[in-house]
Amino acid sequence: MKGLSITFAATLIVVAIFLLLMMFERKKGERGMSFFERNGVLIGTYLILAVGFWTIVTIIMPMVFMVDLSFRPKLAPSQVGGPLDEYTLKNYRYFLFGSSTSAESWNTIHIRAFFVTIVASIILTLVNFAICYPIAYYMAQAATLKKLRIVLLLLIIPYWVNDILRAFAFRILLSENGFVNSVLDLMGLAGAPFDFLGANVGLYMALCYSHLLIMIFPLYNAIESQDHNQIEAARDLGAPWWHIHLFVVMPHAKPGIASGMTLCFMLTAGAVATPMVLGGPRSLWFTPIVYDRFYQLFDWPQGAAYAFILLLACIVFVLTVLKISGLKLGEITR
């Protein structure tokens, strides 16, 4: 009961802070149609209830409960809520030192896996941006309607296959006896099969491929809203192509870039199935370690602590992207 009370109270505080931030972001003196005037009472009420239920019950409350759980010890069900159920930092201490009682040595395996996951996710997000930006620009500013439809179909149809099947397809493709090694052997380019899976090539390719659409569509939406005459004017004034993209298109597309990069980073850092299927014997992604805390060790408080650490890293990344881009939180949805 104590945990539930804290969860409800913390949820109310989070919702109150969120509402205050929304009010703070509204420009003073800006007065347009009210929400109910714009949507009607029936639709407006439905939207508030549906979005409120989805946000509070499926996002905020589980997160608050998880944070609360991360500060509690692992106990038998009969001891939960008893005198031993006190707040502790032992789960976070274990992440740092590999022991809940000793601080003699660092938990290098888990700390290394955490930073490798964060750094690899940042690099894969940048690679995704480099791949998706030209495609999004072509779709938004250069393609005819017929070509746009073809490109959209080519992008969407591969995603009718679910993540697990795609991951196993990459595994078959890149295994030592797979298609890629067979082609390299046939062409005489490799004396022995290359261990793509052991080198994590398959893992990085699959993570990058899985989130292409997450990056492309926010970019396309932002670039498509730009007046094409601005690009033509820059071109007529003699601006080189890189100058047009760097100083004309990208500043306008900042909300889409920020939105795509934050979504891509969070989904890459939080991926579980793909690292478990395609991770090599020497790879150590952080999310399978979190999974093991929950379902192999059945230590839910420690798993919650590990998950909360990853969540904090994602929040820091989002705030950093917003700081670099000079955007407010609400502007990345434009």
Side-chain angles (χ1 to χ4, degrees):
M1 290 300 292
K2 185 170 65 174
L4 286 178
S5 303
I6 292 172
T7 299
F8 281 119
T11 301
L12 289 175
I13 293 172
V14 171
V15 172
I17 292 173
F18 181 73
L19 292 175
L20 287 173
L21 286 174
M22 286 182 60
M23 293 174 63
F24 180 74
E25 286 214 346
R26 291 186 61 180
K27 295 179 180 178
K28 292 182 179 179
E30 187 180 271
R31 180 72 177 94
M33 294 177 64
S34 70
F35 178 76
F36 288 106
E37 289 173 342
R38 194 164 53 247
N39 299 289
V41 175
L42 185 62
I43 299 297
T45 304
Y46 166 75
L47 289 174
I48 290 175
L49 292 177
V51 174
F53 178 84
W54 178 67
T55 305
I56 295 173
V57 177
T58 67
I59 299 176
I60 296 177
M61 288 186 71
M63 290 299 105
V64 170
F65 182 79
M66 191 72 76
V67 173
D68 179 68
L69 183 64
S70 72
F71 289 99
R72 294 183 181 277
K74 179 185 179 184
L75 296 172
S78 60
Q79 295 176 314
V80 174
L84 297 177
D85 193 3
E86 299 291 338
Y87 285 117
T88 176
L89 292 173
K90 62 184 296 184
N91 298 314
Y92 294 92
R93 181 190 293 270
Y94 189 90
F95 169 74
L96 291 174
F97 304 110
S99 169
S100 57
T101 55
S102 172
E104 293 182 355
S105 60
W106 294 97
N107 188 1
T108 53
I109 295 177
H110 290 182
I111 293 174
R112 175 177 167 272
F114 173 75
F115 283 107
V116 165
T117 300
I118 297 301
V119 172
S121 299
I122 292 173
I123 294 173
L124 290 175
T125 300
L126 294 175
V127 171
N128 255 343
F129 174 72
I131 294 172
C132 295
Y133 177 80
I135 300 172
Y137 178 81
Y138 173 78
M139 292 165 58
Q141 295 288 343
T144 61
L145 184 59
K146 182 180 178 181
K147 290 180 178 176
L148 175 61
R149 288 174 178 167
I150 293 173
V151 174
L152 283 173
L153 276 176
L154 291 174
L155 288 171
I156 293 172
I157 286 175
Y159 287 84
W160 291 355
V161 180
N162 64 54
D163 273 345
I164 298 294
L165 283 179
R166 277 203 302 270
F168 278 107
F170 271 101
R171 191 171 185 86
I172 294 171
L173 198 69
L174 298 171
S175 64
E176 290 193 3
N177 298 319
F179 175 77
V180 175
N181 271 315
S182 298
V183 170
L184 291 176
D185 183 53
L186 191 66
M187 296 173 68
L189 297 177
F194 184 77
D195 188 8
F196 289 104
L197 298 176
N200 289 326
V201 175
L203 171 62
Y204 297 143
M205 283 179 62
L207 286 173
C208 191
Y209 177 79
S210 297
H211 305 132
L212 286 178
L213 291 188
I214 299 294
M215 181 67 82
I216 283 180
F217 284 126
L219 288 176
Y220 166 75
N221 187 49
I223 298 173
E224 196 269 340
S225 66
Q226 186 167 34
D227 188 348
H228 190 69
N229 290 326
Q230 295 177 352
I231 300 172
E232 289 299 325
R235 190 171 291 140
D236 292 342
L237 290 171
W241 64 269
W242 62 268
H243 196 284
I244 294 173
H245 285 285
L246 195 59
F247 297 109
V248 179
V249 180
M250 287 187 184
H252 178 83
K254 277 198 303 185
I257 295 172
S259 177
M261 293 190 79
T262 52
L263 286 172
C264 190
F265 171 81
M266 287 187 175
L267 291 175
T268 303
V272 178
T274 303
M276 293 179 76
V277 174
L278 288 169
R282 294 183 299 277
S283 65
L284 201 57
W285 206 255
F286 192 64
T287 44
I289 295 176
V290 179
Y291 178 89
D292 287 344
R293 306 295 106 185
F294 283 109
Y295 294 107
Q296 297 296 325
L297 302 177
F298 299 104
D299 193 342
W300 280 57
Q302 194 176 95
Y306 277 46
F308 184 51
I309 290 169
L310 186 60
L311 176 64
L312 285 178
C314 292
I315 292 173
V316 169
F317 179 83
V318 171
L319 295 177
T320 304
V321 170
L322 292 177
K323 182 69 176 176
I324 293 173
S325 62
L327 295 171
K328 294 180 181 177
L329 184 61
E331 290 178 319
I332 64 173
T333 60
R334 291 180 181 174

